[in-house]
Amino acid sequence: MKELLTLGIESSCDETAAAVVRGRHEVLSSIVASQHDIHDKYGGIVPELACRRHVEVIRPIVAEALKKAGAKVEDIGLVAVTRGPGLVGALLVGVSYAKAFAFARGLPLCGVNHLHGHVMASFVENPDAPLPMLSLLVSGGHSELFLVERPGAMKRLGGTRDDAAGEVFDKVARMMNLGYPGGPVVEKMAREGTVRFDVPVARLHGGESFDFSFSGPKTAVKNIIRVFEEKGEPTPVADVCASFQKSVIDALTAKTKLAAERVRPKSISLAGGVACNGALRERFKKLGDTLGLPVVIPPAALCADNAVMIAAAGAHMYMDNPESPQWMNYLEMDADPGWMA
Ligand code: KG4
Ligand code: ZN
């Protein structure tokens, strides 16, 4: 039997992406059209502008993904699309396109949870990673800890109480007029700075909870900036970034360590856009050494939003249960902006 080719489509936020995956995780193509140019001057995502760009580019992006994979439309056996969580209008572009694509060709369709997709990225290059895996997912909308029993089956241990990790990187960057997205530029500035400011992160329930709260560091940075403004001095941006980044990474790794000691996983993994951060990646590797556990950190292109992770998640869902009628009954399927994993 010919191996299944899955077309993955992602449009939950500010990236329009399409990918073709063979079997469960062989990547044939991955195309990502980022919208950072549009949102940069606003210091954050403008939903209406995001939706308009998705509408403009989704067809050419899918065509490019097929072409790069050397696949014709008729070769595709499954469509997988992000249903949520995300911006409702943005999700609707991908979901509507995917439904039409699948329906026109009588193909099965999987609606994929975006957070499942991010965690699935850990298995694309490491399909045999030891299980259960403790996965820290840090993105623009989420900071979650999951215990992954197997690809596609995961239990949430804790998550964002207020601002997500990526969100605070973005907000802190905006406070210092560093542009959007904030993560990469804060990381770059932090490399040139010295950790010399106190940026406290709340320890929820004295360290007994697996939830995160990052509104504290955001306020701390705001206060540091205000003090310099009141003195009429320029903000030492690099030092603020270094101090802020260290505090957030300390908090993320400390919680992951606590959770690992509690649930005793066989491996740990990092997922989501913030996992592109070099300092966090280094600290996570060290954490693995401390815990004596293998560490899975996907390449940056698989951490940031992409459609490979959606195609791989869909392929797993479908191949684990190919006879299920749900894959063909998708005309009622809607975007689900608040869907938690
Ligand atoms: O996973 P992702 O691409 O989209 C969401 O699902 O949200 O994550 C985007 C987030 C943004 O907040 C961005 O600032 C952050 O990831 N990010 C980073 C870095 N690169 C992207 N945060 C810290 N350091 C980075 N190098
Ligand atoms: Zn994401």
Side-chain angles (χ1 to χ4, degrees):
M1 194 181 103
K2 257 174 55 182
E3 262 210 290
L4 180 74
L5 290 199
T6 302
L7 170 67
I9 296 174
E10 156 65 39
S11 70
S12 65
C13 194
D14 60 343
E15 263 94 24
T16 322
V20 178
V21 165
R22 179 157 48 204
R24 288 179 188 255
H25 35 65
E26 187 191 343
V27 182
L28 299 189
S29 67
S30 176
I31 309 292
V32 181
S34 163
Q35 307 181 349
H36 296 164
D37 55 327
I38 308 181
H39 304 291
D40 184 30
K41 63 173 176 279
Y42 301 100
I45 298 168
V46 183
E48 176 65 15
L49 298 181
C51 299
R52 287 180 191 203
R53 179 60 77 87
H54 286 309
V55 171
E56 280 164 25
V57 304
I58 191 153
R59 278 193 312 125
I61 292 295
V62 170
E64 205 181 328
L66 290 172
K67 189 170 167 213
K68 194 150 178 233
K72 292 194 278 305
V73 166
E74 308 83 69
D75 299 329
I76 298 298
L78 172 70
V79 182
V81 64
T82 305
R83 262 187 77 201
L87 301 170
V88 67
L91 290 164
L92 268 172
V93 177
V95 168
S96 308
Y97 184 92
K99 277 163 80 170
F101 188 104
F103 190 69
R105 295 169 181 84
L107 293 174
L109 174 74
C110 289
V112 174
N113 183 291
H114 184 79
L115 309 183
H116 269 261
H118 271 303
V119 172
M120 184 58 76
S122 299
F123 296 99
V124 170
E125 293 191 353
N126 291 279
D128 301 320
L131 298 169
M133 171 193 278
L134 177 67
S135 187
L136 174 68
L137 164 54
V138 270
S139 69
H142 298 88
S143 329
E144 319 277 326
L145 273 166
F146 290 106
L147 187 65
V148 186
E149 301 288 354
R150 61 186 163 77
M154 57 196 216
K155 191 171 127 214
R156 185 175 177 275
L157 302 177
T160 315
R161 291 257 185 109
D162 37 50
D163 296 279
E167 195 178 354
V168 276
F169 270 93
D170 295 336
K171 286 181 177 169
V172 159
R174 187 159 51 192
M175 285 178 213
M176 294 183 280
N177 299 316
L178 298 177
Y180 174 84
V185 59
V186 170
E187 178 183 6
K188 186 164 167 277
M189 298 300 299
R191 256 185 257 130
E192 291 152 27
T194 308
V195 177
R196 65 175 171 109
F197 297 109
D198 188 25
V199 181
V201 180
R203 283 171 160 261
L204 299 171
H205 297 312
E208 289 305 303
S209 150
F210 300 136
D211 283 348
F212 296 98
S213 167
F214 290 119
S215 62
K218 186 182 65 182
T219 310
V221 168
K222 199 187 277 174
N223 289 336
I224 296 166
I225 295 171
R226 206 194 52 229
V227 168
F228 281 94
E229 276 171 0
E230 283 171 5
K231 286 197 286 189
E233 292 174 16
T235 306
V237 174
D239 294 352
V240 173
C241 288
S243 308
F244 161 79
Q245 178 173 284
K246 179 173 185 305
S247 287
V248 171
I249 292 177
D250 282 351
L252 290 171
T253 41
K255 259 312 155 192
T256 308
K257 181 166 184 279
L258 186 77
E261 285 161 357
R262 192 70 48 83
V263 300
R264 307 229 163 259
K266 297 272 177 12
S267 62
I268 57 173
S269 81
L270 202 49
V274 183
C276 297
N277 185 290
L280 175 60
R281 295 167 83 91
E282 281 312 307
R283 284 285 297 279
F284 222 71
K285 282 182 204 151
K286 285 198 188 121
L287 176 63
D289 292 343
T290 309
L291 293 166
L293 290 174
V295 182
V296 178
I297 306 179
L302 287 176
C303 290
D305 282 352
N306 67 87
V308 168
M309 65 187 196
I310 303 303
H316 271 84
M317 288 162 71
Y318 178 76
M319 290 167 91
D320 285 348
N321 197 5
E323 302 306 326
S324 169
Q326 64 178 309
W327 313 128
M328 294 311 292
N329 294 336
Y330 48 76
L331 285 184
E332 308 281 299
M333 188 179 98
D334 270 327
D336 190 347
W339 188 15
M340 286 307 292

